[in-house]
Amino acid sequence: MASSKLCASRTELKVLGPRPATLTGRAVRSSRVQIIRRRSSTVLCSVAPNQVESPAAQTFVADVPKKTECFGVFCTTYDLKAEEETKSWKSLINISVSGAAGMISNHLLFKLASGEVFGLDQPIALKLLGSERSIQALEGVAMELEDSLYPLLREVSIGIDPYEVFQDAEWALLIGAKPRGPGMERAGLLDINGQIFAEQGKALNAVASRNVKVIVVGNPCNTNALICLKNAPNIPPKNFHALTRLDENRRNVSLKAGVFYDKVSNMTIWGNHSTTQVPDFLNARIDGRPVKEVITDSKWLEEEFTERVQKRGGVLIQKWGRSSAASTAVSIVDAMRSLVTPTPEGDWFSSGVYTNGNPYGIAEDIVFSMPCRSRGDGDYELAKDVLIDDFLRARLKKTEAELLAEKRCVAHLTGEGNAFCDLPEDTMLPGEQ
Amino acid sequence: MASSKLCASRTELKVLGPRPATLTGRAVRSSRVQIIRRRSSTVLCSVAPNQVESPAAQTFVADVPKKTECFGVFCTTYDLKAEEETKSWKSLINISVSGAAGMISNHLLFKLASGEVFGLDQPIALKLLGSERSIQALEGVAMELEDSLYPLLREVSIGIDPYEVFQDAEWALLIGAKPRGPGMERAGLLDINGQIFAEQGKALNAVASRNVKVIVVGNPCNTNALICLKNAPNIPPKNFHALTRLDENRRNVSLKAGVFYDKVSNMTIWGNHSTTQVPDFLNARIDGRPVKEVITDSKWLEEEFTERVQKRGGVLIQKWGRSSAASTAVSIVDAMRSLVTPTPEGDWFSSGVYTNGNPYGIAEDIVFSMPCRSRGDGDYELAKDVLIDDFLRARLKKTEAELLAEKRCVAHLTGEGNAFCDLPEDTMLPGEQ
């Protein structure tokens, strides 16, 4: 049944496109990828540029506007400190968003502009990254932002080249990713999206703020975040996050316990944003008490709870007819806010972060969702006093194994030699390709 | 070319469906409608229940869940004042939203839940009105609201009967309307949507708070608002608004003047939310100075400015591929916030409101967008010191004439006898059917 094919690595193509002189990323070695596929004879690999909406592909196209451009009234020059209301404002911060013409961004951008994340004294600049195909739609998004008259939103620019759009970014919200096409397996998706995130990692490394915070939303987000940070050696790996906050927010223990959701704390999602993810009922608390004391139905906790969190996205698609853009945007806001406001005493939040130096015994050098706390300075530390019992440990091992397999599968994109792709099964979350 | 047809009024059908005993709306007389159509032989009138997604039609359908139901964790009972953070909160307010499964609502509901309109000490209940067809999608919306963990959002219920969903509503945001089908003219749209708003007016009259504030967004919104208020005689007509705030927000004079949008004040949209609308450059100010002093290009002001405001929706659809949901939702938030926060000294905002007693010489008994000021108590007064010159007066007359014609066209829905529908031309705004 198994078929295999040798594919030239995408990274070999890179040299064909012009790269900015400021590029400081370490060279990713040319390598060859072996993709072993178990259940299908279709082979997808990184040699076909037309399969990927990545910036590298666009370097072959002539007459495409590449320069990031300011938009409409946002091209206006003004003195940010000139008026009574704005005199005490902080300095403008640059937020770059990829996939900016998509539905998640369509919710998120307006939230950012309204001050929901950074507060009402923090003016922002939105730098929107789209593709050739979506550049018109991006103009529409910019027009709608203009029509919304948000006082804090002072600059909007749009473009299709990450080396332009990520310039001086203090936040990079990487939402855009290629959706899975018919018949495409996780391995194919990892490769095709991995190329995008390798390219964007290089761009961040070259032009973003040295302390940029990166939140990867495009799936498979953990491994995309790993690829991204590996391609950005001059940015601390700690600054890269994979979004698991929507999973955390789907904290249906409150419904089971008959309490409102604000009673639940210390909810952790461990591991991969996939069906191997581990929603943790051992450490979670309801009204300050361990969940297991409040919900004594351990069969429900061990089986149904996890399944409900995992399957919620699929149920939503059935009901609503499309995937959950609004609540995903809310969870991105939550993830950002968790980094810029101090975590409440005794609580924590989940984020997919780099595992080096973690105290939980998770394998190093992967991006794994873990409990974090922040002092509100954009940085975080891993939570202490976290319980791990045998049941939890076994589940952590499984999701860890999956992430290690994904990592082997993208070695050609992280500069770690030949990829060997042997994912045991397809664990994509429904609707989250 | 003209064709005509006598149609039984929709109101004759109403008696077939059960009506709640609490219904106190004045009876709308049975009447006959004459629709004269100029450019098409297709005749649309109110006798075909299957053309209208109105609640009346649903009374014929068996086995449809009618009861408004609380949803998921929002069915939880709790003491709103039990915790330190919530002790100082105000009492819960009920916000009913029609068309709740649509794209505008999908932006709006999350904004309401986040506290953007009413502030961070105002818990809210969202009561979502959908149709049989959209009830599943509404469940999806409720699930996403649940996953968003907004602390202020304490109750969410969904239903398809306005007599249930509008119960005790303090705000009713009427967004749902039938889109115009192929070949349907404005007269047909007025009739088909008018029926929905007549029914919803009756429902508000029967079950909503006596001081409910109603914002009609579904188009043609001015005349829909008129129909609605005429069917709700026990609610002050002053409480009904037709949304023209998005037009006001499209204040492209700032771009022309090379200043940021926050420098523009006293922007008025007069009249109908259609292409006869009058964006007012006579009274608007830039940085406190009359626009005509700052922008001396009167040809631009007299011709291009108005056209740009009117055509922006169409341009957006071209760019973005769909109509402007996000910025419409922002403008609804703006419209609500203008009523619950004091209007800044010297400024005003536009809203389509009932004309009785207006000081501008506008015909009485229609809903016409005019400059308003609020003390922040939910009420408003019409702005004083408004200039009207001959150029402005002539344009006001034109949009007034259109609204009077629309009113004659829906007389069968306002209890004012026989409708005579003779609209001179089609003035729908692009994409805003």
Side-chain angles (χ1 to χ4, degrees):
Chain A
M1 281 289 281
S3 68
S4 67
K5 184 175 172 183
L6 290 176
C7 307
S9 160
R10 179 67 172 171
T11 53
E12 291 179 327
L13 293 173
K14 294 275 172 50
V15 293
L16 298 175
R19 287 295 104 217
T22 51
L23 178 57
T24 55
R26 85 181 133 181
V28 175
R29 272 165 284 158
S30 288
S31 57
R32 304 192 76 76
V33 193
Q34 185 176 31
I35 300 187
I36 295 181
R37 307 184 66 81
R38 301 218 150 207
R39 286 171 303 189
S40 155
S41 59
T42 321
V43 174
L44 291 166
C45 50
S46 17
V47 283
N50 64 340
Q51 292 178 337
V52 187
E53 251 195 287
S54 88
Q58 284 148 12
T59 58
F60 301 108
V61 183
D63 299 328
V64 171
K66 282 203 60 180
K67 181 81 187 154
T68 305
E69 279 167 6
C70 66
F71 190 85
V73 78
F74 299 111
C75 297
T76 307
T77 54
Y78 51 80
D79 178 1
L80 200 57
K81 300 275 188 183
E83 289 162 74
E84 206 48 58
E85 316 87 88
T86 60
K87 206 169 278 178
S88 59
W89 281 9
K90 300 174 186 164
S91 307
L92 197 74
I93 55 171
N94 291 316
I95 306 170
S96 297
V97 182
S98 79
M103 286 314 296
I104 294 171
S105 296
N106 200 238
H107 285 270
L108 179 63
L109 297 173
F110 292 81
K111 288 174 186 296
L112 294 171
S114 77
E116 264 193 70
V117 174
F118 296 105
L120 297 180
D121 59 350
Q122 178 58 72
I124 64 169
L126 289 176
K127 299 158 83 81
L128 310 183
L129 181 66
S131 62
E132 257 179 90
R133 213 183 44 202
S134 71
I135 192 80
Q136 281 257 324
L138 269 195
E139 282 184 38
V141 171
M143 285 172 73
E144 286 209 73
L145 287 167
E146 198 178 10
D147 292 345
S148 298
L149 310 181
Y150 285 116
L152 295 164
L153 181 60
R154 292 286 161 155
E155 292 178 17
V156 174
S157 54
I158 61 181
I160 61 173
D161 180 351
Y163 285 87
E164 298 277 354
V165 176
F166 294 166
Q167 189 74 47
D168 300 322
E170 282 144 283
W171 288 82
L173 311 174
L174 306 184
I175 298 169
K178 191 89 177 165
R180 181 144 61 162
M184 191 188 294
E185 287 190 20
R186 190 169 177 96
L189 191 75
L190 272 166
D191 179 55
I192 210 163
N193 276 320
Q195 293 168 59
I196 295 173
F197 286 89
E199 182 69 17
Q200 294 186 353
K202 289 186 179 64
L204 287 168
N205 199 57
V207 300
S209 156
R210 297 302 80 187
N211 199 25
V212 61
K213 304 294 185 292
V214 184
I215 300 183
V216 177
V217 180
N219 282 314
C221 65
N222 293 56
T223 297
N224 288 341
L226 182 71
I227 293 167
C228 200
L229 75 86
K230 289 286 182 180
N231 283 278
N234 296 338
I235 297 168
K238 216 187 164 189
N239 291 18
F240 290 77
H241 297 260
L243 186 79
T244 55
R245 188 57 172 266
L246 180 57
D247 305 305
E248 181 191 322
N249 284 359
R250 291 172 170 170
R251 48 178 64 179
N252 58 74
V253 286
S254 68
L255 182 58
K256 176 75 174 174
V259 299
F260 198 59
Y261 42 54
D262 64 348
K263 301 283 187 195
V264 181
S265 67
N266 303 81
M267 177 57 75
T268 316
I269 299 292
W270 295 92
N272 201 1
H273 178 67
S274 76
T275 58
T276 67
Q277 67 173 219
V278 183
D280 174 354
F281 55 85
L282 177 64
N283 291 286
R285 290 173 175 268
I286 293 177
D287 228 349
R289 293 167 60 205
V291 161
K292 289 174 86 169
E293 274 181 27
V294 181
I295 300 173
T296 50
D297 181 351
S298 22
K299 191 173 152 59
W300 186 89
L301 284 174
E302 290 178 10
E303 292 166 22
E304 235 180 295
F305 166 57
T306 298
E307 201 177 293
R308 279 184 184 224
V309 172
Q310 288 168 353
K311 291 205 172 157
R312 188 146 173 109
V315 173
L316 246 159
I317 288 169
Q318 275 172 9
K319 298 274 186 200
W320 171 228
R322 58 194 113 182
S323 64
S324 46
S327 54
T328 303
V330 170
S331 76
I332 298 170
V333 164
D334 289 343
M336 295 174 79
R337 204 150 42 181
S338 288
L339 293 169
V340 298
T341 47
T343 309
E345 185 65 35
D347 202 0
W348 61 59
F349 59 91
S350 305
S351 189
V353 291
Y354 195 53
T355 48
N356 281 19
N358 81 84
Y360 314 121
I362 311 290
E364 304 241 309
D365 204 32
I366 51 176
V367 170
F368 196 94
S369 186
M370 298 185 283
C372 304
R373 289 182 50 80
S374 176
R375 283 186 305 269
D377 53 358
D379 202 4
Y380 65 89
E381 53 190 27
L382 295 175
K384 295 179 181 68
D385 303 320
V386 178
L387 305 173
I388 298 181
D389 63 8
D390 290 347
F391 185 79
L392 179 56
R393 175 66 64 201
R395 295 159 80 214
L396 295 187
K397 280 288 161 204
K398 191 174 169 200
T399 193
E400 177 193 280
E402 182 177 54
L403 282 166
L404 290 168
E406 288 189 15
K407 184 184 167 187
R408 287 192 295 274
C409 197
V410 297
H412 60 304
L413 297 169
T414 56
E416 284 161 23
N418 290 344
F420 178 80
C421 205
D422 185 20
L423 296 170
E425 55 186 322
D426 196 330
T427 63
M428 289 298 287
L429 287 169
E432 306 185 286
Q433 293 105 8
Chain B
M1 281 289 281
S3 67
S4 69
K5 184 176 170 184
L6 290 176
C7 307
S9 161
R10 180 69 174 167
T11 53
E12 292 181 327
L13 292 174
K14 294 276 170 53
V15 294
L16 299 175
R19 288 292 105 221
T22 52
L23 177 57
T24 55
R26 85 179 135 182
V28 175
R29 274 166 283 155
S30 287
S31 57
R32 306 191 76 74
V33 192
Q34 187 176 28
I35 301 190
I36 295 180
R37 306 186 66 81
R38 302 216 151 206
R39 285 172 303 191
S40 156
S41 59
T42 321
V43 175
L44 291 167
C45 50
S46 18
V47 285
N50 64 340
Q51 290 177 337
V52 188
E53 250 197 288
S54 89
Q58 283 148 13
T59 58
F60 302 108
V61 182
D63 301 328
V64 171
K66 284 201 59 178
K67 182 82 187 151
T68 306
E69 278 166 8
C70 67
F71 190 86
V73 78
F74 299 111
C75 298
T76 306
T77 54
Y78 52 78
D79 178 1
L80 200 56
K81 300 275 188 183
E83 290 163 73
E84 207 47 59
E85 315 87 88
T86 60
K87 205 168 276 178
S88 59
W89 281 9
K90 299 172 186 164
S91 306
L92 197 74
I93 56 170
N94 291 316
I95 306 171
S96 297
V97 182
S98 80
M103 285 316 293
I104 295 171
S105 297
N106 200 241
H107 286 272
L108 179 62
L109 297 173
F110 292 81
K111 288 174 186 297
L112 294 171
S114 77
E116 264 194 68
V117 174
F118 297 105
L120 298 179
D121 60 349
Q122 178 59 70
I124 65 170
L126 289 176
K127 298 158 81 85
L128 310 182
L129 181 66
S131 62
E132 259 178 86
R133 214 183 44 200
S134 70
I135 193 79
Q136 282 256 326
L138 270 195
E139 281 183 41
V141 171
M143 285 171 73
E144 284 208 74
L145 286 167
E146 198 179 10
D147 291 346
S148 297
L149 310 180
Y150 285 117
L152 295 164
L153 181 60
R154 290 289 161 153
E155 292 179 17
V156 174
S157 54
I158 62 180
I160 61 172
D161 181 352
Y163 286 86
E164 298 276 354
V165 177
F166 293 167
Q167 189 76 47
D168 301 321
E170 282 143 282
W171 289 82
L173 311 174
L174 305 184
I175 297 168
K178 191 88 176 167
R180 182 143 63 160
M184 191 187 294
E185 288 190 18
R186 190 168 175 96
L189 191 75
L190 272 166
D191 179 55
I192 211 164
N193 276 321
Q195 294 167 60
I196 295 172
F197 286 89
E199 181 69 19
Q200 294 185 355
K202 289 187 178 66
L204 287 167
N205 199 56
V207 301
S209 156
R210 295 303 80 187
N211 199 26
V212 62
K213 304 295 184 293
V214 183
I215 298 183
V216 176
V217 179
N219 282 314
C221 65
N222 293 56
T223 298
N224 288 342
L226 182 70
I227 293 167
C228 200
L229 74 86
K230 290 288 182 178
N231 283 278
N234 296 336
I235 296 167
K238 215 186 164 190
N239 291 17
F240 291 77
H241 297 259
L243 186 80
T244 55
R245 188 57 172 267
L246 180 57
D247 304 306
E248 181 191 322
N249 284 359
R250 290 171 172 172
R251 46 178 67 179
N252 57 75
V253 286
S254 68
L255 182 57
K256 175 75 176 172
V259 299
F260 199 58
Y261 42 54
D262 64 348
K263 300 283 187 196
V264 181
S265 67
N266 302 82
M267 179 54 77
T268 317
I269 299 293
W270 296 91
N272 201 1
H273 178 67
S274 77
T275 58
T276 68
Q277 69 174 219
V278 183
D280 175 354
F281 56 85
L282 178 64
N283 290 286
R285 290 172 174 269
I286 292 178
D287 227 351
R289 294 166 61 205
V291 162
K292 288 173 84 170
E293 275 181 26
V294 180
I295 300 172
T296 50
D297 181 351
S298 18
K299 192 171 151 59
W300 186 89
L301 285 173
E302 289 179 10
E303 292 166 22
E304 234 182 296
F305 167 54
T306 299
E307 201 177 294
R308 277 182 185 225
V309 173
Q310 288 168 354
K311 292 206 170 153
R312 187 143 172 110
V315 174
L316 246 160
I317 289 170
Q318 275 173 9
K319 298 273 188 201
W320 172 226
R322 57 194 114 183
S323 63
S324 46
S327 53
T328 303
V330 170
S331 76
I332 298 169
V333 164
D334 289 343
M336 296 175 78
R337 203 149 44 178
S338 287
L339 293 169
V340 299
T341 47
T343 310
E345 186 66 31
D347 202 1
W348 61 59
F349 58 92
S350 305
S351 188
V353 292
Y354 195 53
T355 48
N356 282 18
N358 81 83
Y360 315 120
I362 312 290
E364 304 241 308
D365 205 33
I366 53 177
V367 170
F368 196 96
S369 186
M370 297 184 284
C372 305
R373 289 183 49 80
S374 176
R375 283 187 303 271
D377 54 359
D379 203 4
Y380 65 89
E381 53 190 29
L382 295 175
K384 295 179 183 67
D385 304 319
V386 177
L387 305 174
I388 299 182
D389 63 8
D390 290 346
F391 184 79
L392 179 54
R393 174 67 65 199
R395 296 159 79 213
L396 295 186
K397 280 291 160 201
K398 191 175 170 201
T399 193
E400 178 193 280
E402 181 178 56
L403 282 166
L404 290 169
E406 287 189 15
K407 185 185 169 188
R408 288 192 295 275
C409 196
V410 299
H412 61 303
L413 297 169
T414 57
E416 283 160 24
N418 291 345
F420 178 79
C421 205
D422 185 19
L423 295 171
E425 55 184 324
D426 196 329
T427 63
M428 289 297 289
L429 287 169
E432 307 188 282
Q433 294 102 8

